[in-house]
Amino acid sequence: MDTDPEAGIYVKPRKEALREIIRDVVRYAIFSHHWASCEPTYQDIFASNSAGNLSFGKRSVKDTGIAKLIQLCDTARALGYKLVWSDTCCIDKANKTELSEAIHAMFKWYAHAHLCIVHLAASSSLSDFKCEPWFKRGWTLQELLAPRRIKFYNKDWHPLTNLPNDKGHLALMSVLSTVTGIPRDVVIADNSHGIRGRGIWEIMSWASTRKTTRIEDAAYCLYGLFDVNLPITYGEGEKAFPRLVEAIVARYSAWDAFAWAGQASSRHPALPCSPACYPKWDEAMVSDGMGMASFALTSHGLRLTSVPLIPLVFSSVSKGVGENGSYRVTLRPRSHGATVLGVYSDVTSCLWLQSTPTPPRRD
């Protein structure tokens, strides 16, 4: 039980108390990296000649993936960890049930790790971050945000800072924020219980420029960030992402889930086909009073109980050139401040005036 000066005595549920004790005692490091084409698998790890001795069969320890795994273990051991987890070989991907459970639990595994070890295979220093593939992959977004402690290593496995937790390194976090578009305060925060104080559009914008090898993973890699639990169905293709957005709308009733532009999904005309449809997040568009409080996603489209309109006023007119005469009319918002739909600039329309023959007069 815990004591609190204000709440008095608080008796934690048994499972919660045991979980916290185990987490503090059984510390493990977790690995984050950009996958190569020759990563060791679960089957490779258990293809041992004898108990406790790993055998990779015909594969050489000089193979890129195996050499990386060995270096990971050496690094974790040097940091004092007896346990380390890597997504390449600690999941039996041939077992669909285990794979599904792993994807759903992935965010929590990274959040509960004592340290996340990140290997940046294309970087020697902070100046290489803008070209580093690790920052462009879909799965590494949650691997960056979920851990409470993170440690970056360059391509030669040298630490990029001398701190035990790189979230405390101002220069590294500043460069990382610039490259990813994620605010520094979000990166350094304790996100182990989810991303707090950020909207759907903003989180989606962080994922919009990232790529995944399989189409479905563009959605599956975001399950943990949005705390949704949906079936894993490899083979559904582009249906996976709009299915995710539909679940997000049902869970959070957030209008900014519809702040997208581009190709609509085949599943529903009001839902985007991928994270790439979400533009760069604009704070001015989502401040207090913005958006629509009442809407419903139906089988026919998006139902709006009330549609906010932008009041326009006449600004200017100029005569153009043309056979029948044309005019350019400019309208501007009545207020240049923020409206319920955001901040809008002038609207220009072209009008063509055509002469209409006078009908014959009938006496």
Side-chain angles (χ1 to χ4, degrees):
M1 64 181 62
D2 286 348
T3 58
D4 185 277
E6 298 179 0
I9 296 177
Y10 167 66
V11 179
K12 292 185 178 181
R14 185 169 180 269
K15 287 186 178 180
E16 180 184 344
L18 287 174
R19 188 181 297 114
E20 292 187 4
I21 293 173
I22 293 173
R23 187 185 305 165
D24 291 337
V25 174
V26 185
R27 302 189 314 162
Y28 67 93
I30 200 165
F31 190 36
S32 180
H33 61 115
H34 177 221
W35 280 35
S37 59
C38 54
E39 300 290 348
T41 65
Y42 177 89
Q43 285 71 26
D44 288 330
I45 294 298
F46 283 91
S48 303
N49 288 330
S50 58
N53 295 318
L54 292 180
S55 171
F56 296 102
K58 296 180 180 180
R59 297 185 60 175
S60 168
V61 294
K62 294 183 180 180
D63 285 357
T64 304
I66 297 174
K68 178 168 58 176
L69 181 62
I70 293 173
Q71 184 63 58
L72 166 67
C73 293
D74 290 343
T75 301
R77 187 181 299 110
L79 292 172
Y81 294 96
K82 295 182 179 180
L83 299 171
V84 65
W85 188 92
S86 174
D87 54 358
T88 57
C89 57
C90 293
I91 304 173
D92 184 0
K93 300 175 184 65
N95 186 323
K96 293 183 179 180
T97 301
E98 180 174 335
L99 178 60
S100 176
E101 291 177 351
I103 290 175
H104 285 111
M106 196 75 68
F107 185 90
K108 292 183 179 179
W109 289 349
Y110 277 87
H112 294 166
H114 191 264
L115 179 70
C116 179
I117 297 174
V118 179
H119 179 234
L120 303 179
S123 297
S124 297
S125 64
L126 302 186
S127 61
D128 298 324
F129 275 23
K130 60 182 179 181
C131 298
E132 173 56 52
W134 188 85
F135 293 110
K136 297 178 174 64
R137 305 304 298 174
W139 285 105
T140 57
L141 177 58
Q142 68 175 0
E143 295 168 13
L144 167 65
L145 296 177
R148 290 170 294 174
R149 302 176 187 86
I150 196 164
K151 188 67 185 166
F152 289 93
Y153 290 82
N154 69 9
K155 63 181 182 181
D156 298 317
W157 282 94
H158 298 310
L160 289 176
T161 80
N162 58 0
L163 298 180
N165 180 9
D166 285 342
K167 285 192 173 187
H169 195 277
L170 179 59
L172 191 152
M173 289 294 107
S174 297
V175 174
L176 187 150
S177 176
T178 300
V179 171
T180 62
I182 306 174
R184 178 177 171 271
D185 62 315
V186 175
V187 179
I188 66 176
D190 181 355
N191 302 308
S192 57
H193 297 288
I195 311 299
R196 300 174 180 175
R198 303 290 167 168
I200 306 303
W201 173 13
E202 184 175 8
I203 296 175
M204 284 295 189
S205 71
W206 303 339
S208 63
T209 58
R210 293 172 177 259
K211 306 296 181 183
T212 57
T213 302
R214 303 192 66 165
I215 296 176
E216 299 89 346
D217 283 339
Y220 301 163
C221 70
L222 299 176
Y223 279 13
L225 285 172
F226 290 107
D227 192 23
V228 296
N229 192 341
L230 295 171
I232 304 296
T233 312
Y234 281 109
E236 66 176 325
E238 293 183 352
K239 295 179 181 178
F241 186 73
R243 186 162 61 88
L244 168 64
V245 178
E246 189 173 5
I248 291 172
V249 172
R251 178 176 174 82
Y252 299 104
S253 297
W255 71 268
D256 59 330
F258 300 104
W260 61 273
Q263 183 178 347
S265 70
S266 58
R267 179 183 177 89
H268 195 289
L271 300 176
C273 66
S274 77
C277 293
Y278 285 90
K280 184 178 179 181
W281 183 71
D282 184 353
E283 185 176 4
M285 290 285 287
V286 292
S287 58
D288 292 340
M290 301 294 181
M292 297 162 285
S294 182
F295 61 86
L297 191 63
T298 71
S299 58
H300 299 289
L302 184 63
R303 178 189 298 158
L304 305 178
T305 304
S306 60
V307 181
L309 301 176
I310 307 170
L312 300 175
V313 295
F314 177 80
S315 177
S316 64
V317 61
S318 59
K319 191 176 188 306
V321 294
E323 182 179 348
N324 297 318
S326 64
Y327 291 84
R328 183 179 297 274
V329 178
T330 301
L331 305 174
R332 61 176 175 80
R334 182 171 295 170
S335 171
H336 281 286
T339 70
V340 290
L341 290 179
V343 179
Y344 285 81
S345 57
D346 293 353
V347 178
T348 302
S349 298
C350 290
L351 305 177
W352 285 267
L353 303 180
Q354 297 181 353
S355 58
T356 303
T358 303
R361 182 176 180 181
R362 302 176 67 178
D363 295 329

